[in-house]
Amino acid sequence: MNQTKMANTIAELVFIPATALGHIMSTVEVAKLLVNRDQRLSLTILVIKPLLGSEIARYVESLTNSPTERIRFVELPQGETPPKFDPEAPMAFLNDYMKSHCKYVRDVVGEMMKRTDSGRIAGFVVDVFCTGMMDVADEFGVPTYVFFTSNAAFLGFNLCIQTLCESGNHGVAEFNNPDAEFVVTGFVNPVSTKVFPGIYQTKDGLDFLRSSVRKMKEAKGILVNTFLELETHAIESFSALETNDFPTVYPVGPILNLNGVAAKPLDSDIIGWLDGQQPSSVVFLCFGSMGTFGEVQVKEIAHALERSGRPFIWSLRQPPPVLEQGIDVRDYRDPGVVLPEGFMERTIGAGRVIGWAPQAALLAHPAVGGFVSHCGWNSVFESLWFGVPLATWPMYAEQQLNAFELVVELGLAVEITLDYKKDVFAPDVGDTVVVTAEEIERGIRQVMEDVEVRGKVKEMSRKSREAIAKEGSSFTSIGHLVHEFLSNIS
């Protein structure tokens, strides 16, 4: 295609995120990066209706009410009889739920193809949980890319475990052996099964992993929410794979949503209290959109905070019951019902217990100096971006591996625990493993006082900003990706 024609071409991309809050947010942010990078790109994001979750619903509503230039949002219908949620097989349910929307994706894309004012569709970009949509892209003769919202080390882990499963020599029994370690693509150190994602220690989870990785290998490229300076070893480990017809890996991070969810702003009382604290003196505890604890564990955290003597902000949320179509985490009406007697009165000047937290806004405040986190990848990036060191308390999904990477591989966090696991599909079940107040207090003190870790985090904060600046590593990677999108329609 000659340069004049190329300059006037609009290449359309179809993005399909999963219905998890972090996945949708990351998808929207990478979409903004792409359209801001090149005026010839336009995007359609197909939004699958979330089954439950007030934060997700608010965020999706904010998207449709606030259109972005050259990004449009299309909410897909939900079938009259969606698959029934099965807490015993959550990944099979998720896979079936996503696939049940293929017919609606087919209808939308078919209409896009008919539009005379439409540019040519340069590619589908599907979430790792939506690889079933690749079959729809194939029907239209459109290449597919996968957006991997977690990190490069976890991508390598998935590939490695799928290979071991396909060899027929490994399965649920081997991955549940607490004394076993595996050499895993993307990690320098052997990885203990104790930090394997709990879902991959079940047949349901392994079946999903195997099928999703097989589909991922058919993609033309994989966008990963990471950057070279953070995960140098993990990213470089893909180089040999790419020579064997493995999709090209594009580091595009850090992908951040610093405006948070469309929800009520932080209470003025909290802002005023934070403004009155010393710089880097406050520890912030937050465990993600599904991070909850039973009463016994809540009391241990409270005791640890009192003993540490550190000012704190604690996002405390209520374990929900399992509902017909999933789970929906909500705030306590009165958190005092699960806290030690008199805790709220004793700590009235020392800290604040809140419900839902605008995490990025709190991490950005100069008074916040440490972050006790579940280690969800979006939370990790927000913490690194603002130079706030983490104390690791993983709970579900790939968070144990994230914690292992941060503490053991990269030295960017301190450990409260690496292998704590919580079944988010049975959140109303009482605590089976309890992290003691002594362990929590030790982690809080270390994250606030470890000079070496704090220095490394500050340095990585600088590098994270350089990665997406002009001529940075992710800036350059995104440029290669845009060039490929445009070449698909040349």
Side-chain angles (χ1 to χ4, degrees):
M1 178 178 291
N2 63 51
Q3 292 299 314
T4 302
K5 188 176 181 183
M6 187 78 156
N8 295 327
T9 297
I10 297 295
E12 290 207 47
L13 298 170
V14 177
F15 273 65
I16 309 176
T19 58
L21 184 59
H23 289 244
I24 297 175
M25 282 185 169
S26 295
T27 297
V28 172
E29 295 307 313
V30 79
K32 290 177 181 177
L33 275 179
L34 290 169
V35 296
N36 289 336
R37 186 60 180 273
D38 198 297
Q39 295 293 314
R40 293 166 293 178
L41 293 179
S42 65
L43 279 76
T44 296
I45 299 178
L46 305 184
V47 181
I48 297 173
K49 183 179 180 181
L51 290 168
L52 288 171
S54 53
E55 290 96 345
I56 299 176
R58 276 198 300 271
Y59 182 65
V60 170
E61 183 180 359
S62 74
L63 297 177
T64 54
N65 291 339
S66 303
T68 304
E69 185 180 1
R70 287 181 291 114
I71 300 178
R72 70 174 183 135
F73 299 94
V74 177
E75 289 192 76
L76 299 178
Q78 182 175 302
E80 295 181 1
T81 55
K84 186 175 181 181
F85 177 70
D86 180 1
E88 297 298 321
M91 303 309 292
F93 160 77
L94 178 62
N95 192 45
D96 290 344
Y97 183 68
M98 295 302 174
K99 282 188 173 181
S100 70
H101 291 77
C102 283
K103 55 182 176 290
Y104 306 121
V105 173
R106 190 177 293 111
D107 291 343
V108 172
V109 175
E111 289 301 315
M112 291 173 64
M113 291 286 197
K114 294 177 184 177
R115 292 205 317 259
T116 55
D117 61 337
S118 171
R120 292 177 57 190
I121 298 179
F124 275 37
V125 182
V126 303
D127 190 277
V128 68
F129 289 110
C130 300
T131 54
M133 299 293 181
M134 293 174 67
D135 294 336
V136 180
D138 290 343
E139 292 175 22
F140 289 100
V142 174
T144 305
Y145 300 78
V146 172
F147 181 29
F148 196 81
T149 54
S150 193
N151 54 58
F154 183 48
L155 174 60
F157 173 87
N158 282 338
L159 297 173
C160 183
I161 297 304
Q162 188 257 355
T163 300
L164 291 174
C165 289
E166 298 295 330
S167 72
N169 297 322
H170 295 81
V172 174
E174 289 78 15
F175 300 146
N176 276 282
N177 178 355
D179 299 320
E181 289 185 334
F182 289 84
V183 176
V184 175
T185 303
F187 288 87
V188 175
N189 297 279
V191 180
S192 168
T193 54
K194 293 178 182 178
V195 297
F196 277 29
I199 196 66
Y200 289 167
Q201 294 174 313
T202 67
K203 183 179 184 303
D204 171 57
L206 281 182
D207 286 347
F208 176 83
L209 179 148
R210 294 171 69 177
S211 64
S212 65
V213 172
R214 280 197 297 266
K215 294 296 291 183
M216 197 187 311
K217 289 178 177 179
E218 298 174 10
K220 193 171 183 182
I222 301 175
L223 291 64
V224 184
N225 188 8
T226 192
F227 59 100
L228 181 62
E229 292 77 7
L230 176 65
E231 292 195 282
T232 307
H233 173 78
I235 293 170
E236 290 181 349
S237 69
F238 294 114
S239 298
L241 295 175
E242 289 176 6
T243 62
N244 296 317
D245 297 325
F246 187 77
T248 302
V249 173
Y250 296 94
V252 296
I255 303 298
L256 295 157
N257 180 321
L258 300 180
N259 297 318
V261 183
K264 61 181 182 181
L266 190 61
D267 190 279
S268 59
D269 172 66
I270 302 296
I271 297 174
W273 180 82
L274 275 173
D275 289 344
Q277 305 303 311
Q278 294 295 315
S280 300
S281 66
V282 176
V283 61
F284 172 40
L285 300 87
C286 187
F287 300 93
S289 58
M290 293 194 293
T292 64
F293 298 103
E295 184 174 344
V296 173
Q297 186 64 77
V298 167
K299 284 182 164 59
E300 292 295 312
I301 297 172
H303 292 319
L305 287 170
E306 281 199 85
R307 294 174 188 174
S308 75
R310 289 283 182 177
F312 66 88
I313 289 184
W314 179 9
S315 174
L316 175 61
R317 309 199 71 196
Q318 183 175 5
V322 176
L323 304 177
E324 183 177 351
Q325 292 295 343
I327 59 175
D328 190 15
V329 175
R330 299 180 184 273
D331 294 343
Y332 282 101
R333 291 183 178 179
D334 175 15
V337 299
V338 292
L339 291 166
E341 186 175 354
F343 175 83
M344 299 288 276
E345 292 75 19
R346 291 192 301 273
T347 61
I348 187 64
R352 294 290 187 273
V353 178
I354 62 177
W356 172 87
Q359 185 170 282
L362 286 168
L363 290 170
H365 197 285
V368 174
F371 183 24
V372 178
S373 172
H374 65 305
C375 301
W377 196 240
N378 289 334
S379 296
V380 168
F381 264 155
E382 288 176 5
S383 191
L384 292 177
W385 182 262
F386 292 113
V388 180
L390 294 99
T392 62
W393 192 331
M395 300 185 72
Y396 52 88
E398 89 287 8
Q399 293 161 12
Q400 292 80 19
L401 281 172
N402 293 348
F404 178 84
E405 181 179 23
L406 289 168
V407 173
V408 179
E409 298 272 302
L410 304 177
L412 290 172
V414 305
E415 174 186 350
I416 291 179
T417 174
L418 296 182
D419 57 1
Y420 181 91
K421 292 177 183 177
K422 178 80 172 180
D423 186 354
V424 296
F425 299 109
D428 52 349
V429 175
D431 299 299
T432 56
V433 175
V434 175
V435 182
T436 67
E438 290 76 12
E439 293 172 291
I440 302 165
E441 180 188 356
R442 188 184 310 118
I444 288 173
R445 291 186 182 278
Q446 187 178 0
V447 78
M448 302 300 288
E449 299 169 5
D450 192 315
V451 175
E452 182 179 357
V453 169
R454 300 184 76 82
K456 287 183 176 180
V457 170
K458 293 294 184 185
E459 177 67 8
M460 194 55 69
S461 174
R462 179 184 64 81
K463 290 180 178 179
S464 71
R465 294 164 187 263
E466 289 177 349
I468 58 173
K470 190 172 183 179
E471 308 307 328
S473 59
S474 290
F475 181 92
T476 301
S477 180
I478 292 169
H480 294 321
L481 182 62
V482 169
H483 178 77
E484 181 167 326
F485 286 147
L486 293 171
S487 69
N488 289 342
I489 61 169
S490 61

